[in-house]
Amino acid sequence: MDEEYDVIVLGTGLKECILSGLLSVDGLKVLHMDRNDYYGGASTSLNLTQLWKRFRGDDTPAENLGSSREYNVDMIPKFMMANGALVRVLIHTNVTKYLNFKAVDGSFVYNKGKIYKVPATDVEALKSPLMGLFEKRRARKFFIYVQDYETNDPKSHEGLDLNQVTARQLISKYGLEDDTVDFIGHALALHRDDNYLDEPAKDFVDRVKIYAESLARFQGGSPYIYPLYGLGELPQAFARLSAVYGGTYMLNKPECKVEFDENGKAIGVTSEGETAKCKKIVCDPSYLSDKVQKVGKVARAICIMSHPIPDTKDSHSAQVILPQKQLGRKSDMYLFCCSYAHNVAAKGKYIAFVTTEAETDNPEVELKPGIDLLGPVDEIFYDTYDRFEPCNDHEADGCFISTSYDATTHFETTVKDVVELYSKITGKVLDLSVDLSAASAATEE
Amino acid sequence: MPSRRRTLLKVIILGDSGVGKTSLMNQYVNKKFSNQYKATIGADFLTKEVQFEDRLFTLQIWDTAGQERFQSLGVAFYRGADCCVLVYDVNSMKSFDNLNNWREEFLIQASPSDPENFPFVVIGNKIDIDGGNSRVVSEKKARAWCASKGNIPYFETSAKEGLNVEEAFQCIAKNALKSGEEEELYLPDTIDVGNSSQPRATGCEC
């Protein structure tokens, strides 16, 4: 320390590591610090010893579970959409070379007390009991419309301005039933509640398109992919990108304190008696807690099991969406399961998560509908965490704070936050359609 | 279908900042040396095809990318290593004393299934400096340490002059191969995310 940097990044969560990587590639001098001795911050993956220490207060996991190092338990469980924004970031930065991915086996939806597979093919769709025959024909017309819709091709709009027409109006035009709307809105467009119905239909259509394109991308049983060794690999991969381009890394730095000048502008960070100077601070909410406001809370359960989630056709990795209406709640609940097949647990073991936006202070009672679908559980940990949004003026104080991770099952909102932060920090728009390595290869010639 | 032969071997290079880790791998793979020191920028991993007994395989040599400077390597860096190279500068006693820390850190982070027999190779670099007059770690002392840690192979090199670099990496490759072959390899059916070709979706998606 005791040096001068363009940007100091605090916290090695996924958002902060992506930003650190992008800024270093841009040629900025970056110092990246974390109070923990591991990468990932709130979005890390823990081994068994770390899990026990954090949730049980001791470091002696049950012996029958296998070796601690075989476990990589995600603290923010999400799958990656195969054609989604995070994959575009990975390709854009060429960080894929540090990672290995597998397709997620299946995506399921809870309807009237039972679990159904979200159809991944035409054949599955025809057989699926989620819709009756006539409803399938109406839905098919809707999907053809969505598939053919192109923003820049007015002909494909069929006279509808999706920036004006609401999702409810679009759905009404195709005469879809409530159950179908629920299914499309929550299991395909992945909305967490029903607010989208009264908003312009563009976002809704775009989301259904991403789902369809992700499904087609690797032609697996679901639109999702997931990294071997768990999501904690992602922050480490982006951190390495930053380091390769000159970023400096300091883990295990207690109490990273942001220093401000008399005008309230951030000028550096002090840790262990040393101060590094900088022009800008990037951090997660926990490092500048007086500049963020609480906007919600996530309730979750983390379970270790010896079997897949029942009724998911023995999927080693699966997502189950429980739409809010099915549960009489305001927000959807999600089950997320991965296993030894992804090198995140010992042989024969599965890790399952139940997650939702908290509506009570009692996660055990609140999460019960999801827990009940899991069957026998070897170990279970309950937890809630608050979600924060920045409420500072970043132009005045030079602090760029990320928003906490939400309860969604994927990373689209995560990358959106990163893209917006990048624009604020650099004043430039992040063009994810450019492959950086291809661009740099062109430069070298 | 015969079981797939392992053709990619991961080698990681550990040691204090400034001992010449990046220069060593650049000398071995690219036959290049740069006098201008900058705490590693731009070094990632390099690959080199090596041949043993009519078999061709790829060495993937991972640099620390400078993350070792403040002890900030992640567990992902260590995972799956087939051989670990420990580098020190013969003109720096501190870098030699830290070899023990690096070796122990590796064993903690990588958790090899057979820690007693995991293959390390030690390199004492920069033997060219000042014609050897500023040397502070004797070869005898270094060899004694290597012997005490399970007879770790030892080489003295100059990345700058290219001395002994090829010999050191031949040994590294041989040990990595031996280690890689003994390991039972779980080969999950991963997908290639980097491939951006995208089949057009057809028909009804529901």
Side-chain angles (χ1 to χ4, degrees):
Chain A
M1 288 178 74
D2 295 334
E3 269 186 66
E4 191 147 356
Y5 297 87
D6 294 311
V7 180
I8 295 181
V9 184
L10 302 175
T12 55
L14 177 58
K15 295 183 185 185
E16 289 71 44
C17 287
I18 296 176
L19 286 165
S20 184
L22 294 171
L23 297 173
S24 294
V25 170
D26 280 357
L28 297 185
K29 188 173 179 183
V30 176
L31 170 62
H32 202 159
M33 303 167 72
D34 197 304
R35 63 173 79 84
N36 301 299
D37 65 352
Y38 53 80
Y39 285 94
S43 57
T44 191
S45 301
L46 300 179
N47 62 44
L48 224 56
T49 301
Q50 290 167 322
L51 191 69
W52 245 254
K53 198 173 295 184
R54 174 156 166 178
F55 290 104
R56 296 275 167 88
D58 71 76
D59 54 9
T60 315
E63 271 180 22
N64 60 302
L65 295 176
S67 118
S68 173
R69 190 57 75 174
E70 287 181 287
Y71 287 80
N72 295 287
V73 182
D74 299 328
M75 289 297 103
I76 304 285
K78 292 176 188 285
F79 288 138
M80 298 166 58
M81 299 211 73
N83 216 49
L86 183 53
V87 171
R88 294 204 307 277
V89 174
L90 288 162
I91 293 171
H92 175 71
T93 55
N94 202 24
V95 160
T96 51
K97 65 185 169 179
Y98 304 131
L99 300 158
N100 286 291
F101 297 92
K102 287 183 71 166
V104 172
D105 290 345
S107 177
F108 299 82
V109 68
Y110 177 85
N111 184 274
K112 297 187 170 75
K114 291 173 76 178
I115 290 178
Y116 299 90
K117 185 163 196 300
V118 178
T121 65
D122 286 14
V123 173
E124 277 186 351
L126 283 176
K127 289 178 178 174
S128 173
L130 281 168
M131 280 180 276
L133 182 60
F134 294 110
E135 183 70 351
K136 279 172 184 169
R137 288 167 63 173
R138 288 188 287 269
R140 185 164 190 276
K141 287 181 179 177
F142 171 76
F143 286 122
I144 289 171
Y145 173 79
V146 167
Q147 183 179 304
D148 290 343
Y149 182 88
E150 294 290 341
T151 305
N152 300 320
D153 177 13
K155 196 166 151 192
S156 71
H157 300 181
E158 295 183 13
L160 298 169
D161 180 357
L162 295 192
N163 292 306
Q164 298 292 327
V165 171
T166 63
R168 194 188 297 278
Q169 288 167 330
L170 176 65
I171 286 161
S172 169
K173 175 180 159 66
Y174 287 92
L176 301 174
E177 291 168 358
D178 281 352
D179 277 353
T180 306
V181 175
D182 234 32
F183 166 72
I184 296 173
H186 293 258
L188 302 184
L190 303 169
H191 287 287
R192 284 166 275 171
D193 50 44
D194 278 348
N195 296 340
Y196 74 97
L197 287 170
D198 297 310
E199 283 158 15
K202 179 68 160 65
D203 179 55
F204 170 63
V205 167
D206 283 346
R207 284 162 166 256
V208 176
K209 278 179 85 74
I210 287 183
Y211 193 97
E213 288 162 4
S214 295
L215 212 48
R217 182 74 187 271
F218 300 109
Q219 286 158 23
S222 83
Y224 302 111
I225 61 175
Y226 181 77
L228 293 187
Y229 300 102
L231 297 171
E233 295 296 284
L234 296 170
Q236 291 183 74
F238 283 104
R240 181 165 176 95
L241 172 73
S242 178
V244 164
Y245 280 86
T248 299
Y249 275 84
M250 296 185 183
L251 297 182
N252 217 7
K253 294 299 259 185
E255 208 227 320
C256 304
K257 183 172 181 291
V258 181
E259 308 286 351
F260 297 90
D261 67 14
E262 62 272 14
N263 299 315
K265 173 76 162 56
I267 55 173
V269 173
T270 298
S271 176
E272 296 179 313
E274 292 176 306
T275 301
K277 294 193 181 111
C278 67
K279 303 183 184 94
K280 291 172 180 170
I281 298 279
V282 175
C283 69
D284 75 45
S286 69
Y287 287 89
L288 283 174
S289 50
D290 58 335
K291 289 179 180 284
V292 298
Q293 62 197 348
K294 181 179 164 178
V295 293
K297 185 157 77 169
V298 174
R300 64 174 166 196
I302 301 166
C303 309
I304 302 177
M305 314 191 301
S306 300
H307 56 85
I309 297 179
D311 300 320
T312 60
K313 306 185 204 303
D314 289 328
S315 296
H316 287 121
S317 52
Q319 167 195 278
V320 183
I321 296 171
L322 289 71
Q324 29 118 229
K325 208 179 286 180
Q326 298 290 321
L327 303 176
R329 293 170 43 83
K330 291 180 201 146
S331 288
D332 291 357
M333 191 174 293
Y334 302 103
L335 308 191
F336 167 111
C337 177
C338 49
S339 74
Y340 64 98
H342 284 89
N343 293 5
V344 297
K347 181 88 175 177
K349 295 299 187 189
Y350 296 70
I351 312 289
F353 303 82
V354 185
T355 309
T356 190
E357 183 73 16
E359 292 167 16
T360 72
D361 282 332
N362 192 334
E364 294 185 28
V365 170
E366 182 162 3
L367 297 171
K368 190 175 191 301
I371 304 285
D372 286 348
L373 295 175
L374 296 181
V377 164
D378 299 337
E379 299 283 349
I380 186 165
F381 309 86
Y382 289 98
D383 187 39
T384 60
Y385 65 87
D386 292 329
R387 290 195 303 105
F388 297 97
E389 273 178 4
C391 56
N392 64 311
D393 178 358
H394 60 84
E395 289 188 2
D397 60 14
C399 299
F400 302 84
I401 307 169
S402 64
T403 300
S404 304
Y405 298 93
D406 54 33
T408 60
T409 61
H410 53 85
F411 286 100
E412 301 308 294
T413 51
T414 297
V415 176
K416 187 164 176 276
D417 193 23
V418 167
V419 170
E420 286 168 2
L421 282 166
Y422 179 85
S423 290
K424 290 172 184 166
I425 296 162
T426 66
K428 296 190 289 182
V429 172
L430 185 57
D431 183 359
L432 290 178
S433 63
V434 172
D435 184 338
L436 275 180
S437 61
S440 64
T443 304
E444 280 164 29
E445 288 161 16
Chain B
M1 186 92 184
S3 65
R4 177 175 149 179
R5 231 82 178 277
R6 190 174 176 124
T7 56
L8 185 75
L9 298 165
K10 178 173 174 176
V11 172
I12 64 171
I13 305 193
L14 292 176
D16 281 1
S17 266
V19 296
K21 302 186 293 296
T22 307
S23 293
L24 278 165
M25 53 193 277
N26 266 315
Q27 179 62 259
Y28 174 57
V29 177
N30 299 321
K31 301 292 190 270
K32 282 181 190 169
F33 179 82
S34 166
N35 238 319
Q36 184 173 349
Y37 180 71
K38 243 179 168 185
T40 297
I41 288 183
D44 192 0
F45 59 80
L46 296 176
T47 58
K48 186 165 169 104
E49 303 293 322
V50 290
Q51 187 169 337
F52 264 101
E53 297 160 4
D54 297 326
R55 288 176 49 211
L56 207 68
F57 57 99
T58 304
L59 264 200
Q60 198 179 59
I61 307 166
W62 286 71
D63 201 352
T64 55
Q67 281 173 294
E68 83 286 9
R69 187 172 160 208
F70 300 102
Q71 286 81 51
S72 298
L73 290 160
V75 64
F77 172 78
Y78 292 94
R79 185 182 295 108
D82 296 299
C83 183
C84 177
V85 184
L86 303 170
V87 183
Y88 77 100
D89 177 349
V90 298
N91 311 283
S92 161
M93 184 61 70
K94 180 170 172 289
S95 70
F96 174 74
D97 290 341
N98 276 333
L99 285 189
N100 209 58
N101 297 333
W102 283 116
R103 179 175 169 278
E104 286 176 1
E105 177 74 0
F106 173 84
L107 292 173
I108 290 167
Q109 298 288 356
S111 297
S113 50
D114 185 5
E116 302 300 315
N117 295 303
F118 187 87
F120 289 90
V121 173
V122 170
I123 293 179
N125 192 36
K126 303 197 186 185
I127 59 175
D128 57 286
I129 289 190
D130 204 14
N133 289 326
S134 58
R135 179 173 190 142
V136 295
V137 183
S138 71
E139 180 172 352
K140 181 180 176 185
K141 184 183 175 77
R143 288 195 180 276
W145 185 85
C146 291
S148 74
K149 297 298 174 183
N151 291 317
I152 298 175
Y154 178 69
F155 295 85
E156 298 204 332
T157 63
S158 164
K160 181 175 183 181
E161 309 286 348
L163 293 175
N164 248 4
V165 173
E166 183 71 28
E167 291 86 341
F169 276 91
Q170 286 294 316
C171 179
I172 289 161
K174 191 166 72 173
N175 284 350
L177 175 61
K178 187 179 167 208
S179 167
E181 276 188 332
E182 283 163 6
E183 243 168 75
E184 182 178 318
L185 183 62
Y186 172 55
L187 246 187
D189 50 335
T190 57
I191 55 184
D192 183 1
V193 171
N195 179 9
S196 53
S197 78
Q198 177 182 323
R200 170 73 181 171
T202 55
C204 175
E205 293 311 316
C206 177

